[in-house]
Amino acid sequence: MRIARTLILLAFMAAFATAHAEVGKIHKFRVYFTDKKESPFVKSKPEQFLSQKAIARRKKWHIKVDWYDLPVTPKYVNAVAATGAKVLCTSKWNNTALVSDSDATVADRIARLPFVKAVTNVYYGPASVSDSVPERYKVFRGDVGRSSNYYGDAWDQINGIGGVRMHESGFLGQGMTIAIIDGGFLNADTIPLLDNVRILGTHNFVRPQRSVFAEGDHGTCVLSCMGANKPFQIVGTAPGASFWLLVSEDGYSETPSEEDTWAAAIEFADSVGADVVNSSLGYNTFDDASQNVRYTELDGKTHLVSRSASLAASRGLLVCNSAGNAGDEAWKLIGIPADADNILTVGAMDRTDRNADFSSIGNTTDGRVKPDVMAMGVADAVVRGNGRLGRASGTSFSSPVTAGMVACLMQALPSLKPVEIIRLLHSSSTRYNHPDNIFGYGIPDYYEAYRKGNGK
């Protein structure tokens, strides 16, 4: 999940069609379909493919169910599977499928299907990963200590952006649903410090057979920034919200196939009716350097993952995405999907409001200000997968701090569309009149944004 350096989707090359499969390795291909004809799904019956909560969100914001909402044609997916390829997931917004096979020539067979527009290579590597995940049940259950402060060590990351005043006004994220797209939520279902978190459900898009609670603990730390609700130990930015925990990140490799699983995850978040999505993921470098992202491609449109984030915004979701941690590297820039349209890209600062050296900078190639806003991302208070309190740094943590506060603001101002919430936050931030490519619009004050949005 390192914020990587380029991602050029390679078109399927003839070399793959004649290559002999290596033992223990597989290919993954992205299949682009030409249309959605012969589908049993129709726009007039969205209950076939969307939850009532997702439909209600569209009705509230006067968003029509359209072609993008229709699932990929099942007949097409079945025909692809009939070639021998294993279908891993699909993306209705991009009209694609991610498939795998140890035999590269399967791509040639798929490409000949009359409804297939293109086939691109997005992965070549081990067929399976090690089962040596961190011990699932080694969770610390002893005394973690108590603070004299209600928020525990999380005070600075919440108070510095007006979060305490929002909470004192009664806005804790009640009634809001936040989907977290991440790499794993190790032990988040058994850690005492997280036993007050409302988890609605989970899905693992990388290894469906494995529990999200048996993957790494990056997402556990992220979840705690928002959902933790243990007064005088740790309280997050949205302790009243409910959460979906989704795994799209493969911690064993870095390839463009993770764009496909991310797209599947955010479409799932939309379908179950999430209000806010937090993604502490991003890409600019891959294991195959020829696939790395180029600066000219940071336009929100070139890459599938960025298009998916923009489409989520068009469905009425408010997406928060980490800017990236490449600020002190040669690349320096944001990754994808942080370049997407109408999302909140979040940079990191320390508790003195100084930008973190590692926080990736903007702007996008088409001139949009990035990052959008800043939040504390240096030595943030988190709950680790072993059940202990700790501290962690990265835009991975400034993003969920932001996502939780955004959920509280949306709760407080239910008449404002997500894009209006984003504009309100821009105008309530410290550098609104003079945004730059390091701080963006600056540090928002969520309580002042609430007052402004409420006409006070």
Side-chain angles (χ1 to χ4, degrees), residues 390-446:
R391 290 193 177 275
S393 297
T395 58
S396 284
F397 309 107
S398 59
S399 184
V401 166
T402 296
M405 289 313 312
V406 162
C408 296
L409 186 61
M410 292 175 70
Q411 175 198 358
L413 300 171
S415 64
L416 293 189
K417 297 178 181 179
V419 68
E420 293 172 326
I421 291 286
I422 291 174
R423 291 171 185 157
L424 178 61
L425 284 174
H426 288 172
S427 67
S428 303
S429 296
T430 55
R431 304 194 180 203
Y432 175 60
N433 292 321
H434 304 283
D436 57 41
N437 67 338
I438 297 175
F439 277 82
Y441 291 96
I443 304 165
D445 184 319
Y446 286 84

Side-chain angles (χ1 to χ4, degrees), residues 26 36 71 151 167 226 263 317 329 332 349 382 388-389:
I26 61 169
K36 292 183 178 180
Y151 289 89
H167 289 179
M226 293 177 276
L317 281 77
E329 300 174 3
K332 296 188 182 302
M349 63 183 187
V382 299
R388 293 180 180 271
L389 289 171

Side-chain angles (χ1 to χ4, degrees), residues 287-324:
D287 295 339
D288 180 352
S290 69
Q291 296 177 310
N292 288 352
V293 176
R294 295 171 177 163
Y295 172 62
T296 54
E297 298 167 344
L298 294 178
D299 57 6
K301 301 173 184 176
T302 298
H303 293 285
L304 181 140
V305 71
S306 300
R307 295 195 301 272
S308 295
S310 299
L311 280 163
S314 74
R315 311 293 104 174
L317 281 77
L318 202 154
V319 181
C320 296
N321 205 97
S322 55

Side-chain angles (χ1 to χ4, degrees), residues 114-361:
F115 44 78
V116 170
K117 180 167 56 177
V119 181
T120 63
N121 172 52
V122 291
Y123 177 91
Y124 181 61
S128 61
V129 299
S130 169
D131 290 327
S132 59
V133 296
E135 176 54 51
R136 178 77 170 85
Y137 298 105
K138 288 184 178 178
V139 174
F140 178 72
R141 300 183 184 280
D143 183 12
V144 297
R146 290 175 66 83
S147 167
S148 60
N149 189 297
Y150 181 84
Y151 289 89
D153 290 341
W155 166 264
D156 287 332
Q157 63 209 50
I158 296 175
N159 184 57
I161 52 177
V164 172
R165 288 184 296 174
M166 284 292 287
H167 289 179
E168 289 174 344
S169 298
F171 305 117
L172 304 170
Q174 303 98 313
M176 305 301 295
T177 300
I178 303 175
I180 305 175
I181 304 177
D182 216 281
F185 301 86
L186 182 67
N187 294 327
D189 59 335
T190 60
I191 293 172
L193 283 172
L194 298 177
D195 61 13
N196 289 336
V197 178
R198 299 176 183 86
I199 298 175
L200 298 177
T202 69
H203 195 90
N204 191 332
F205 289 90
V206 179
R207 286 172 283 276
Q209 75 283 2
R210 195 149 83 184
S211 167
V212 303
F213 302 118
E215 300 282 3
D217 75 343
H218 184 272
T220 308
C221 298
V222 166
L223 171 64
S224 68
C225 291
M226 293 177 276
N229 191 16
K230 289 290 184 177
F232 303 102
Q233 293 176 317
I234 182 171
V235 176
T237 49
S242 300
F243 297 88
W244 279 91
L245 309 183
L246 312 176
V247 168
S248 75
E249 171 71 21
D250 186 349
Y252 298 90
S253 63
E254 197 81 331
T255 69
S257 67
E258 290 167 279
E259 288 194 80
D260 298 82
T261 49
W262 194 96
I266 201 166
E267 290 174 19
F268 180 90
D270 168 52
S271 70
V272 297
D275 302 295
V276 178
V277 175
N278 181 79
S279 164
S280 291
L281 300 173
Y283 306 94
N284 61 298
T285 304
F286 292 99
D287 295 339
D288 180 352
S290 69
Q291 296 177 310
N292 288 352
V293 176
R294 295 171 177 163
Y295 172 62
T296 54
E297 298 167 344
L298 294 178
D299 57 6
K301 301 173 184 176
T302 298
H303 293 285
L304 181 140
V305 71
S306 300
R307 295 195 301 272
S308 295
S310 299
L311 280 163
S314 74
R315 311 293 104 174
L317 281 77
L318 202 154
V319 181
C320 296
N321 205 97
S322 55
N325 302 326
D328 54 359
E329 300 174 3
W331 169 253
K332 296 188 182 302
L333 301 170
I334 59 172
I336 55 173
D339 65 326
D341 283 325
N342 294 322
I343 72 167
L344 274 175
T345 300
V346 188
M349 63 183 187
D350 64 20
R351 67 188 66 247
T352 69
D353 296 346
R354 177 183 179 275
N355 71 292
D357 292 341
F358 59 75
S359 187
S360 292
I361 64 175

